[in-house]
Amino acid sequence: MFTNRYVRTIIFSRVLLHLGIWIRNYAVLLYVTDLTDNNPVYVSLISVAEFAPIFLFALIGGTLADRWKPKRTMVGSDLLSSLSVVAVLIALLSGGWMALLIGSFISASLSQFSQPSAMKLYKRHVPGEQLQSVMAMSQTLAAIFMVLGPVVGTIIFLKLGIHVSLILTAVLFLGSSFILATLPRDTDESTTNEDSSVAKELIAGLNYVWSNLSLRTLILTFAVVGFASGLTQPLQIFIVVEQLGQEKSFLQWLVMTNGAAMLIGGAVIMGAAKKVKPQLLFVSGLLVTAVCTIGIGASTVIWLTLVLLIISGFVYPAIQGGIQTLIVRNTEMAYIGRVSGAIMPVFMGMMVIGMFLSGYLKNSFSLLTVYVISGVLIIAGSSFILPLIRETRKRSIL
């Protein structure tokens, strides 16, 4: 895979980009909590600044990414992200710390243009038999920074402070932009009608998703799984305190265990991806995750909870790699950005709804009940993929 110039360059740029994002996120989080004495309102605004762009700009960003040349879009997005951090640093030096939230919002918004463009380049320049391995590698990279990112971001902020953290972030974003600039020039092929309005292309993209059975099924599955994930995500602290009888600080060990398992799982999936169909990889990962979710909700033993977290973390790259591969394989080049931009907001939106309801469900029923509901929903979501597996088998027979 790394012999492919596009894969090598995009992955290297993403290393710098992920590192910059984690340094920025934790620097902003720790600085704001220190400045506001842990005010929950301002802390929650940080999450809003980071996640709101997914709802607001993912579909629009995907539509524009389909109109624009992918290399130029990615280079421009990272360059503008770097400049936005510099602007935030200048504002911060003048005493305007609220600019931190604005800067996070702008940077997260720009990523909604960059990500679909990367998928376009993968589809155009990565052979079909390597595509699933490349997607698994991308998810493994994200998992690596889920483990290392918070540690690196925290250390840099505590040792060097907010100003140096922002300078490093700007340099890393700029470095990512320079690396992407070394890619060959974008081809002049036109995938969209330049005379068509953005609104018309956006509607055309939604119609394309709805008329494509495979994509429609994936969105439905992602919606259910996103909601199920949201139900349990805010309740992890109660697993630690109520189920395991530990202090809140013990949560970090659960998170690190799960993240380390993702790394190992990603490496294994990269090797096995060529031999396993993405539909089967996706469904298997969901079913294992469902069983682990129910088990974690029922477990009162530390070692069992850790084992279940290891297993669920191990199969997580299979889920993400499978879904990304299915999206790319079932989408025409002209619609890659819009399809990607349509699916992620559905997942994130349903996850937020699940997070909103999780506390009420726990108070009304029990912690175990919420985890069982989540596991059952994941199983239901995986069942939607079964027709795609049967259809694939029929095609292979014919």
Side-chain angles (χ1 to χ4, degrees), residues 65-118:
D66 282 336
R67 293 171 63 94
W68 298 340
K69 294 181 178 180
K71 174 195 168 182
R72 184 181 298 175
T73 301
M74 296 171 70
V75 170
S77 295
D78 291 352
L79 180 59
L80 289 174
S81 290
S82 179
L83 293 176
S84 70
V85 175
V86 172
V88 168
L89 179 60
I90 294 172
L92 188 63
L93 291 172
S94 303
W97 70 268
M98 285 293 288
L100 288 171
L101 302 181
I102 299 173
S104 297
F105 180 86
I106 292 173
S107 183
S109 300
L110 289 168
S111 68
Q112 305 311 311
F113 298 86
S114 179
Q115 183 61 27
S117 297

Side-chain angles (χ1 to χ4, degrees), residues 73-367:
T73 301
M74 296 171 70
V75 170
S77 295
D78 291 352
L79 180 59
L80 289 174
S81 290
S82 179
L83 293 176
S84 70
V85 175
V86 172
V88 168
L89 179 60
I90 294 172
L92 188 63
L93 291 172
S94 303
W97 70 268
M98 285 293 288
L100 288 171
L101 302 181
I102 299 173
S104 297
F105 180 86
I106 292 173
S107 183
S109 300
L110 289 168
S111 68
Q112 305 311 311
F113 298 86
S114 179
Q115 183 61 27
S117 297
M119 293 183 69
K120 284 180 67 176
L121 288 177
Y122 281 148
K123 184 174 178 67
R124 184 177 295 168
H125 298 287
V126 176
E129 66 273 10
Q130 294 182 359
L131 195 57
Q132 191 162 313
S133 297
V134 171
M135 293 303 175
M137 182 167 55
S138 297
Q139 295 306 317
T140 302
L141 183 65
I144 290 173
F145 282 97
M146 283 181 64
V147 177
L148 298 180
V151 177
V152 174
T154 300
I155 291 175
I156 288 178
F157 173 78
L158 293 178
K159 296 290 185 181
L160 304 175
I162 184 65
H163 299 114
V164 175
S165 296
L166 291 178
I167 291 172
L168 282 175
T169 299
V171 170
L172 288 166
F173 286 169
L174 187 61
S176 175
S177 179
F178 283 162
I179 289 170
L180 291 170
T182 65
L183 286 173
R185 235 172 137 180
D186 286 310
T187 58
D188 292 328
E189 62 183 276
S190 177
T191 56
T192 57
N193 183 0
E194 295 297 331
D195 295 329
S196 176
S197 69
V198 173
K200 286 182 180 179
E201 290 186 10
L202 191 152
I203 294 172
L206 293 175
N207 290 334
Y208 175 81
V209 171
W210 188 251
S211 63
N212 187 311
L213 176 60
S214 298
L215 295 177
R216 195 165 68 236
T217 302
L218 290 175
I219 283 188
L220 182 59
T221 301
F222 238 33
V224 175
V225 173
F227 180 72
S229 300
L231 287 178
T232 57
Q233 188 166 334
L235 303 181
Q236 294 177 7
I237 190 66
F238 296 103
I239 291 293
V240 172
V241 176
E242 296 182 7
Q243 296 289 95
L244 304 180
Q246 300 294 311
E247 297 293 329
K248 293 179 180 180
S249 58
F250 189 74
L251 178 61
Q252 65 179 317
W253 298 108
L254 300 187
V255 174
M256 290 179 66
T257 299
N258 189 248
M262 288 183 193
L263 300 183
I264 300 172
V268 173
I269 295 302
M270 276 191 286
K274 294 181 181 179
K275 305 174 184 177
V276 184
K277 288 182 170 60
Q279 297 94 327
L280 187 59
L281 203 64
F282 186 41
V283 171
S284 300
L286 288 178
L287 291 176
V288 173
T289 299
V291 173
C292 291
T293 298
I294 296 173
I296 290 169
S299 173
T300 57
V301 182
I302 293 177
W303 69 264
L304 179 58
T305 300
L306 289 174
V307 168
L308 292 170
L309 284 169
I310 290 171
I311 295 173
S312 63
F314 185 82
V315 301
Y316 181 79
I319 297 173
Q320 292 297 325
I323 186 71
Q324 295 294 340
T325 304
L326 288 170
I327 291 172
V328 174
R329 285 187 178 178
N330 289 282
T331 306
E332 297 175 24
M333 176 68 73
Y335 292 93
I336 282 284
R338 280 166 284 182
V339 170
S340 177
I343 288 180
M344 280 312 297
V346 170
F347 178 83
M348 294 300 300
M350 293 303 294
M351 187 173 74
V352 170
I353 293 173
M355 292 169 66
F356 178 77
L357 295 175
S358 63
Y360 295 103
L361 290 174
K362 179 187 179 298
N363 290 335
S364 301
F365 301 101
S366 67
L367 186 64

Side-chain angles (χ1 to χ4, degrees), residues 10-45:
I10 293 174
I11 291 296
F12 190 21
S13 78
R14 286 305 180 253
V15 169
L16 300 185
L17 202 60
H18 279 300
L19 188 57
I21 288 171
W22 280 104
I23 292 174
R24 180 203 65 199
N25 287 354
Y26 267 75
V28 172
L29 175 63
L30 296 173
Y31 182 76
V32 171
T33 53
D34 287 348
L35 202 64
T36 64
D37 195 24
N38 298 318
N39 187 310
V41 174
Y42 290 114
V43 172
S44 64
L45 284 176

